[in-house]
Amino acid sequence: MSSSYRIPFNKPCLTGNEFNYVSDAIKQGHASGDGPFTRKCQSLLESILVTSKVLLTTSCTHALEIAALLLDLQPQDEVIVPSFTFVSTANAFALRGAKLVFADVRRDTLNIDEKHLEQLLTPRTRAIVPVHYAGVGCEMDAITALAARTGAVVIEDNAHGFLGRYKGRMLGTIGQIATLSFHETKNIECGEGGAILLNDRSFTERAEIIREKGTDRSRFFRGQVDRYTWVDIGSSYVLSDLLAAFLFAQLESRDHIQSQRKRVWMRYAEALTPWAADRGIRTPAVPAGCEQPFHMFYLIVNSLTQRQALIAHLANLGILAVFHYQPLHLSPMGRRFGGMPGDCPVTENVAERLVRLPLYSDLDDPGISEVVNAITSFPD
Ligand SMILES: *Cc1c(COP(=O)(O)O)cnc(C)c1O
């Protein structure tokens, strides 16, 4: 992300109308939340996702916090998350005092391993939080069936998978609740932003209240009550309409953004899969039935040493490649929930070997060739 790289890891894709809409939002004089652009974003998202009631939030992290608040978690309650994910997937539930339980991921997709999940399920399991890693759908049929056994709520952390599909269904519409991220590093972005998707509508009214500082302000604006007041716990999770204006431009340009990302991803896959196969290096697996939104292209190399050498080799050529996700169960916080080495062997192994390649809409064909040539010239 440093500008000292000729090819950065990520570059936000500006599609033209961001400045116009932000300037409209300023002229309209409604910079706070739930203004005209928030409503436009929410109804556009609802028309894309169809089954969901959508509320914009300040981030995906905050959308996960709303989800955790909706569950009224008690100290003995357990929430199962993959160990191989971003901190917020777990932290939102730790904040509510729940016991975090870490599941390993599948070798092929790096998604939560439904077989391990089954072993971790107890009568105290209140929620399961699958993360559609790289936007490739988790085994949602198996996961929802397991959740039904204990009455656990399925909360899809869909920070990577907006516009992806699992067996024809949009990711984010399968669990009772789902979350989206519009952070600058995601496909569709507004700097910082997110959304909570309420597929089980019985959560909707309370989600509106939690998002509005514990008040029934939304009911007031609909004319359902004649004043608004403090009715529940909550916090300040409403996105500024200035950011919603930026986001609306991005959402309108989603086909363009996605087709550009697809172009980059496909070129990488075509050029690097045979090279990787000869060296025991893996490229992303996309199972039949999964349509992915081209959020990420990664390599799983053979060792930590090889990863460091590859990242250094690319950096020397002006290309920034990165790795991510230290196993959560082995982090200082994860240890406090009883995480031990060996609990999630695939996560422990893959976290040391994964490299993410630059992927953004403006990466042109010569740029892609440069990355590909740099990788294939790596002396292994
Ligand atoms: C980016 C990300 C988040 C957090 O998103 P923010 O909008 O930055 O809060 C949560 N979960 C996953 C899997 C992510 O990649």
Side-chain angles (χ1 to χ4, degrees):
M1 291 154 245
S2 155
S3 54
S4 61
Y5 289 91
R6 204 173 49 259
I7 299 188
F9 172 68
N10 180 50
K11 208 191 269 182
C13 174
L14 295 182
T15 65
N17 270 330
E18 289 86 353
F19 298 101
N20 299 335
Y21 291 172
V22 170
S23 127
D24 290 348
I26 293 168
K27 287 182 204 140
Q28 279 164 357
H30 190 131
S32 60
D34 284 333
F37 279 105
T38 300
R39 287 195 290 275
K40 279 175 189 244
C41 287
Q42 288 176 175
S43 51
L44 180 52
L45 285 165
E46 283 168 7
S47 73
I48 296 167
L49 296 164
V50 186
T51 66
S52 309
K53 168 70 187 169
V54 178
L55 299 172
L56 292 191
T57 59
T58 30
S59 65
C60 179
T61 300
H62 281 164
L64 288 161
E65 287 181 24
I66 296 173
L69 282 160
L70 283 168
L71 298 184
D72 284 324
L73 293 164
Q74 304 300 309
Q76 295 306 309
D77 289 344
E78 296 173 358
V79 175
I80 305 178
V81 301
S83 178
F84 192 64
T85 182
F86 188 65
V87 174
S88 297
T89 315
N91 189 64
F93 301 92
L95 262 179
R96 309 306 331 146
K99 179 176 190 292
L100 271 294
V101 177
F102 300 99
D104 206 357
V105 293
R106 296 167 55 108
R107 266 175 210 289
D108 56 355
T109 54
L110 311 185
N111 279 332
I112 193 165
D113 179 343
E114 61 279 10
K115 296 205 180 71
H116 193 210
L117 179 63
E118 181 167 17
Q119 291 165 22
L120 298 172
L121 214 59
T122 77
R124 291 182 304 277
T125 306
R126 290 288 317 284
I128 300 169
V129 193
V131 175
H132 304 298
Y133 185 74
V136 174
C138 295
E139 282 302 324
M140 293 308 290
D141 286 344
I143 292 165
T144 47
L146 287 171
R149 281 195 205 165
T150 68
V153 175
V154 175
I155 300 164
E156 300 173 71
D157 177 344
N158 196 28
H160 301 178
F162 176 51
L163 301 173
R165 288 174 188 270
Y166 168 79
K167 298 187 180 172
R169 300 166 74 186
M170 298 292 293
L171 297 180
T173 66
I174 304 166
Q176 287 95 324
I177 303 173
T179 62
L180 298 177
S181 175
F182 302 117
H183 185 265
E184 189 165 43
T185 51
K186 305 304 198 292
N187 291 18
I188 305 286
E189 59 98 16
C190 62
E192 301 273 358
I196 184 163
L197 316 182
L198 304 150
N199 303 318
D200 177 341
R201 300 296 174 101
S202 67
F203 288 121
T204 304
E205 187 166 325
R206 203 162 162 242
E208 286 178 340
I209 289 167
I210 291 168
R211 176 175 167 272
E212 272 282 16
K213 299 98 179 164
T215 72
D216 55 356
R217 200 158 181 261
S218 303
R219 273 189 296 208
F220 172 67
F221 282 128
R222 283 196 296 264
Q224 294 164 339
V225 287
D226 61 3
R227 69 199 71 182
Y228 75 86
T229 186
W230 185 26
V231 294
D232 203 332
I233 55 170
S235 193
S236 182
Y237 294 127
V238 178
L239 189 73
S240 161
D241 224 47
L242 302 186
L243 290 175
F246 191 112
L247 180 61
F248 189 62
Q250 291 262 307
L251 287 171
E252 281 188 326
S253 299
R254 64 193 179 282
D255 291 344
H256 167 75
I257 294 172
Q258 293 303 105
S259 70
Q260 291 303 311
R261 297 187 73 94
K262 179 176 181 180
R263 172 183 57 82
V264 180
W265 199 99
M266 299 301 272
R267 287 270 324 262
Y268 279 151
E270 207 175 290
L272 294 174
T273 304
W275 169 85
D278 287 347
R279 288 159 182 79
I281 292 173
R282 275 197 32 212
T283 51
V286 184
C290 289
E291 285 168 50
Q292 56 129 347
F294 308 100
H295 178 55
M296 211 189 281
F297 193 94
Y298 59 82
L299 300 172
I300 302 176
V301 300
N302 291 302
S303 65
L304 178 59
T305 322
Q306 193 180 38
R307 174 168 84 180
Q308 284 166 327
L310 177 58
I311 289 175
H313 169 78
L314 294 173
N316 276 331
L317 296 168
I319 297 164
L320 180 58
V322 303
F323 61 86
H324 71 169
Y325 298 159
Q326 297 307 294
L328 286 183
H329 70 288
L330 297 181
S331 66
M333 268 305 284
R335 297 280 191 149
R336 279 161 59 180
F337 291 105
M340 296 284 280
D343 285 353
C344 300
V346 178
T347 299
E348 289 167 35
N349 180 275
V350 162
E352 297 199 328
R353 300 193 287 130
L354 186 125
V355 188
R356 299 173 63 189
L357 303 186
L359 176 50
Y360 47 88
S361 305
D362 294 339
L363 186 55
D364 58 12
D365 292 345
I368 302 170
S369 300
E370 217 179 291
V371 177
V372 166
N373 293 338
I375 290 170
T376 54
S377 72
F378 176 57
D380 47 352

